[in-house]
Amino acid sequence: MAEYMNDDDQVEALKRWWKENGKSIIGGVVLGLVLVGGWQGWQRYTTGQAERASAYFTQFSQAVRGGDLAAARQQGERLIGEFGDATYGVLAALDLARLTYEAGEPAAARARLEWAMAQAGDPALEQLARLRLARLLLDEGKLDGAERLVGEPSSGAFSGEYAALRGDIASARGNAAAARRAYEEALAQGASAGELIRMKLTELGVAAAAG
């Protein structure tokens, strides 16, 4: 019972307690300091990496806007190689896919988009990559592949775009009824190319309501 201990008893008890527990306490303190220092070091590292990725992406974007395909490819490859698991790498892959497709390299563009779909940690980026790949396949006349991609659930800002592309696929198959339904859904979902979709509905013999 501690309340009956005299000073000597308390000193001896403290010595025994320290002998039994001192090492673990010191170890815990040291571990805590290491963890704190390690966390701060990790924060500095990740901040530095983010700044590098941002700088690379700025250079890449400038090359894209300037139409410098060679420089864009070089910067894009560096981004993907060093930051492939980050948003900047996925965004670079999406832009590189467009550039390579416009340069007459559809196979390379498909590979970029498939990689972006697999790597995108953000659902919106994954849906964007999927949508662009489906459009590419439609342009190539690969209707089954395009249909599989846009047949999967989509949500949010891309719902209308997916519906519009389903309409294009149905139209390419000669299925006017399915195309009309998809285009009307696209308009209802607020697809970005509303005027173009209404023109397509007019061609199908449907008077689309103004949006």
Side-chain angles (χ1 to χ4, degrees), residues 133-151 165-175:
L133 180 58
R135 285 174 176 162
L136 189 156
L137 292 176
L138 173 60
D139 286 346
E140 292 186 310
K142 299 176 180 178
L143 303 184
D144 291 342
E147 194 166 46
R148 280 194 297 271
L149 288 170
V150 296
L165 191 48
R166 285 195 294 271
D168 290 342
I169 295 168
S171 182
R173 291 189 186 279
N175 189 339

Side-chain angles (χ1 to χ4, degrees), residues 105-121:
E105 303 174 34
R110 282 197 305 274
R112 291 295 186 196
L113 291 172
E114 288 166 355
W115 180 88
M117 282 175 55
Q119 293 296 318

